[in-house]
Amino acid sequence: DLLRMEGKKIMDKAYHVILLEDPEQKVFSIRRTIGVEQYHAFFEELFREAAARGLTQAGPIQMLYHDEEFNHERSDVEAQMVVAQEGPDVRVRPACLCAAVQHRGPYENLHLAYEALCAWLGEHSEYRMCGPAMDRYFGDPDNTPPEQLETGVLFPVEKAAAEGTAE
């Protein structure tokens, strides 16, 4: 299609960055330092551990990236599942303002969504990141064709202090 023929520059423009209030969520999570090739097994572990605690999924699964710079071989990541009930190791993730885009397509192209968000932050210096980047997954990669996968990419943001004022 035209976007692929024209290359990344035009594809970046396909992302519409919005500001949204991400609601408070009850989540069960596990956190590890692992490489990208281990993500699938990591989410399988999340589902096993949630089932062992009797937890019921009540929303999407998501991955938080705690390192300042992403590393394919070794990153501090946290897999979360939105759950219906209280239980062992369940906590409330507070609501937060996020700059967000919706990515449609294979996970291998998620970097384009990140580039769009980073460009938006560069153009909107009144905001700064205030928490780990998050991928929110809609659809099961085992049962959804890669080109139909939907992923929300969210950067928690806050208003930056105006120059010359104390924070």
Side-chain angles (χ1 to χ4, degrees), residues 17 20 25 30 40 53 69 75 86 96 101 108 117 123 125 128 148 153 157 162:
V17 178
L20 62 84
Q25 295 175 320
I30 53 177
H40 190 76
R53 290 165 174 77
E69 299 237 352
S75 284
E86 302 292 334
C96 63
V101 296
E108 292 78 28
L117 279 165
E123 295 165 4
S125 58
R128 67 171 177 215
Q148 293 178 14
V153 181
V157 295

Side-chain angles (χ1 to χ4, degrees), residues 80-95:
Q80 291 185 341
M81 175 190 294
V82 177
V83 296
Q85 69 274 62
E86 302 292 334
D89 303 310
V90 171
R91 65 181 176 83
V92 173
R93 195 180 66 74

Side-chain angles (χ1 to χ4, degrees), residues 12-44:
D12 285 353
K13 293 180 182 176
Y15 292 103
H16 178 69
V17 178
I18 62 168
L19 283 173
L20 62 84
E21 184 70 28
D22 196 38
E24 178 178 278
Q25 295 175 320
K26 201 178 306 179
V27 297
F28 168 69
S29 68
I30 53 177
R31 186 171 171 175
R32 305 265 186 285
T33 300
I34 59 173
V36 171
E37 73 286 345
Q38 297 169 290
Y39 286 4
H40 190 76
F42 188 44
F43 279 113
E44 288 175 346

Side-chain angles (χ1 to χ4, degrees), residues 18-143:
I18 62 168
L19 283 173
L20 62 84
E21 184 70 28
D22 196 38
E24 178 178 278
Q25 295 175 320
K26 201 178 306 179
V27 297
F28 168 69
S29 68
I30 53 177
R31 186 171 171 175
R32 305 265 186 285
T33 300
I34 59 173
V36 171
E37 73 286 345
Q38 297 169 290
Y39 286 4
H40 190 76
F42 188 44
F43 279 113
E44 288 175 346
E45 178 185 353
L46 177 73
F47 284 106
R48 278 193 313 274
E49 291 294 326
R53 290 165 174 77
L55 300 172
T56 305
Q57 186 175 352
I61 59 169
Q62 47 208 25
M63 180 84 88
L64 280 69
Y65 300 90
H66 292 282
D67 290 321
E68 287 204 20
E69 299 237 352
F70 182 74
N71 180 323
H72 280 271
E73 286 76 43
R74 186 172 171 78
S75 284
D76 178 6
V77 293
E78 180 180 354
Q80 291 185 341
M81 175 190 294
V82 177
V83 296
Q85 69 274 62
E86 302 292 334
D89 303 310
V90 171
R91 65 181 176 83
V92 173
R93 195 180 66 74
C96 63
L97 181 65
C98 291
V101 296
Q102 189 74 12
H103 172 78
R104 183 179 174 101
Y107 298 140
E108 292 78 28
N109 292 337
L110 270 173
H111 65 95
L112 299 173
Y114 277 81
E115 289 171 11
L117 279 165
C118 288
W120 185 89
L121 280 174
E123 295 165 4
H124 293 84
S125 58
E126 69 272 24
Y127 292 99
R128 67 171 177 215
M129 283 187 71
C130 62
M134 176 173 38
D135 293 343
R136 183 168 291 156
Y137 306 104
F138 303 98
D140 180 352
D142 292 332
N143 301 313

